[in-house]
């Protein structure tokens, strides 16, 4: 069908509006970019607390260096564990270890790694959006819509952040594919191999490439009306599928990785907050409202953009559904939304109108961007966005680390089995293994048998016969976060308590307490009682990295022989 003059004129108008023609426009776009970047930094500024996952990842890699191989069975816990223990984030542990300990930069290395990953993510997203025809004004003006569901992957530093960068890189590669390039497949296969050793989120990449391949094949078949022509256009994608499957065995655990992956993907995690539905997140009203607005823009684009330009819509819709089910997937939705939706909106009357408004109010927009940038950067600076932390008290999230309690246990040479909550066990392993083994940490299905987490939750909630958990596992001391309900129940073990005491194998007593944590020890531990309530405790981040080897004789054969 011959293209009408009206349609040709409209397309020319759109192409001209998608370009920045003058230095004035470039400067205005730069101010908008600065405002967007400042807003993003401000939004994630309070997420400078080092994630607990970093410590079990680095602890594993440190142990692998000491042993000369990756342990197949868990070495950090004294509670029942699975065999084999397949740690899909071992590569992230290696990256974090070399960025901090290996480089000698400590916290600076951790900050630089996070900065490089976030910068790479945004560069890929902007490139993909521009390749799809996005106007820079629109990219900056509406990307913030997904910030409230975008935050999950930006803790310091989560393995999920690598997944977000790789998703954005894969979207860029897929755009190359639509332009007839095929060599990107080799780069993608190399990236996939690295990806699956950093984070199990590589499964998202496999799903994304599957959707892309089907869409590419269908588009070619319909456009050329020939099945063979579609095969010729997509043979490289068809060939990549079995090669990608073959890469699954390229990891320290070999093909044992696959059954672990199948089990992990199918698991329900109702007790972990980020696996809860969207409306159960930290700021549900804001999150749900902004998510609804982002979906409205998505739907508007579907109704006002030609179908051939809406490639990727199906996977974005799937990501939206997964976000509603689990807020954890909001960051994946955010990446794909930023890459696609601003480009679609740029081709609508809404987008064109917004571009004209911004251009016609250049001075106001520029001053607004300056004000937003200044306010956001001030907020980020006040919150020390560049400085990773291990807060000894709860600040903006539930993250809080027993820096004082661990220092006390190290000072008094505690050795044995320590009962630990989910979010601090890995920090204890990083600081005190091999002298101390923990009962539980953030590895969850990676290391522990199914009953371990329910038992911990029963004890920490102080429900039922909670004291029986102290005898169920061979525990020498108990580390408790004071907001846990069981803290009040443990008062029965405080000196001078008058009343019935639950019968347990050992007699328990308070040996350490500060404003955030307390430690109870069995009578055979012989630990002195210390009360640090009301005492100011320092952030433990610097010590966690600057003195990481002070208690670890990594290459000492005698030490290894003793441990083994």
């Amino acid at each position: 069908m011959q293209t009408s003059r009206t349609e040709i004129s409209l397309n020319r108008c759109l192409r001209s509006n998608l370009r920045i023609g003058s230095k004035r426009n470039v400067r205005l776009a730069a101010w908008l970019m600065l405002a967007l970047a400042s807003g993003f930094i401000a939004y994630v500024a309070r997420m400078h607390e080092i994630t607990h996952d970093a410590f079990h990842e680095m602890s594993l890699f440190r142990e692998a260096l000491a042993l000369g191989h990756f342990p197949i069975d868990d070495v950090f816990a004294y509670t029942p564990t699975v065999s084999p223990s397949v740690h899909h984030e071992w590569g992230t542990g290696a990256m974090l270890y070399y960025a901090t300990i290996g480089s000698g930069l400590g916290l600076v290395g951790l900050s630089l790694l996070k900065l490089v990953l976030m910068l790479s993510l945004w560069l890929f997203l902007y490139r993909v959006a521009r390749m799809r025809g996005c106007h820079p004004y629109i990219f900056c003006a509406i990307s913030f819509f997904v910030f409230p569901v975008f935050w999950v992957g930006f803790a310091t530093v989560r393995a999920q952040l690598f997944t977000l960068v790789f998703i954005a890189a894969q979207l860029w590669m897929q755009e190359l594919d639509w332009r007839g390039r095929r060599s990107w497949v080799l780069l993608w296969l190399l990236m996939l191999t690295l990806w699956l050793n950093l984070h199990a989120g590589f499964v998202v990449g496999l799903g994304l490439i599957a959707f892309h391949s089907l869409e590419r094949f269908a588009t070619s078949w319909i456009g050329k009306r020939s099945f063979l022509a579609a095969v010729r256009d997509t043979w490289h994608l068809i060939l990549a599928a079995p090669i990608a499957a073959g890469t699954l065995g390229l990891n320290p655990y070999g093909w044992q990785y696959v059954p672990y992956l199948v089990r992990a993907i199918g698991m329900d995690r109702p007790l972990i907050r980020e696996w809860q539905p969207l409306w159960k997140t930290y700021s549900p009203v804001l999150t749900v409202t902004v998510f609804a607005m982002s979906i409205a823009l998505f739907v508007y684009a579907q109704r006002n953009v030609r179908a051939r330009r809406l490639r990727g819509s199906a996977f974005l819709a799937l990501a939206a559904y997964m976000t509603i089910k689990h807020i954890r997937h909001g960051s994946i939705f955010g990446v794909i939304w930023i890459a696609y939706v601003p480009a679609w909106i740029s081709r609508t009357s809404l987008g064109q109108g917004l571009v004209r408004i911004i251009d016609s109010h250049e001075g106001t927009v520029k001053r607004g961007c300056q004000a937003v940038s200044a306010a956001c950067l001030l907020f980020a600076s006040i919150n020390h966005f560049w400085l990773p932390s291990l807060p000894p008290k709860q600040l903006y999230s539930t993250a809080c680390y027993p820096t004082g309690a661990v220092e006390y246990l190290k000072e008094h040479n505690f050795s044995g089995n320590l009962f630990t909550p989910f979010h601090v066990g890995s920090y204890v392993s990083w600081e005190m293994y091999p002298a101390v083994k923990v009962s539980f940490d953030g590895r969850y299905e990676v290391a522990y048998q199914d009953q371990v987490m329910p038992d911990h939750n029963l004890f920490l909630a102080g429900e039922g016969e909670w004291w029986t958990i102290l005898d169920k596992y061979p525990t020498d001391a108990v580390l408790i976060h004071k907001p846990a309900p069981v803290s009040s129940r443990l008062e029965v073990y405080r000196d001078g308590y008058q009343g019935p005491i639950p019968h347990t194998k050992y007699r328990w007593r308070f040996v350490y307490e500060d404003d955030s944590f307390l430690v109870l020890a069995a009578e055979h531990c012989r630990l002195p009682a210390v009360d640090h309530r009301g005492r100011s405790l320092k952030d433990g981040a610097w010590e966690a990295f600057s003195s990481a080897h002070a208690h670890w004789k990594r290459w000492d054969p005698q030490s290894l022989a003793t441990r083994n």
Side-chain angles (χ1 to χ4, degrees), residues 492-549:
V492 298
Y493 298 117
R494 195 178 291 278
D495 289 342
Y497 177 80
Q498 300 294 323
I501 299 176
H503 177 71
T504 52
K505 179 180 179 181
Y506 298 122
R507 180 177 178 272
W508 297 88
R509 60 192 182 89
F510 281 74
V511 295
Y512 176 86
E513 188 171 5
D514 60 34
D515 292 334
S516 298
F517 289 90
L518 56 86
V519 177
L520 275 75
E523 53 191 344
H524 61 267
C525 290
R526 302 183 183 279
L527 291 170
V530 172
D531 189 347
H532 283 172
R533 284 177 292 181
R535 180 176 176 178
S536 178
L537 299 174
K538 61 183 178 180
D539 187 294
W542 185 262
E543 287 76 11
F545 291 97
S546 62
S547 60
H549 290 309

Side-chain angles (χ1 to χ4, degrees), residues 86 224 238 377 396 409 422 430 444:
V86 177
K224 297 183 177 180
I238 297 171
L377 291 176
Y396 315 111
L409 292 172
F422 177 87
W430 174 250
Y444 195 29

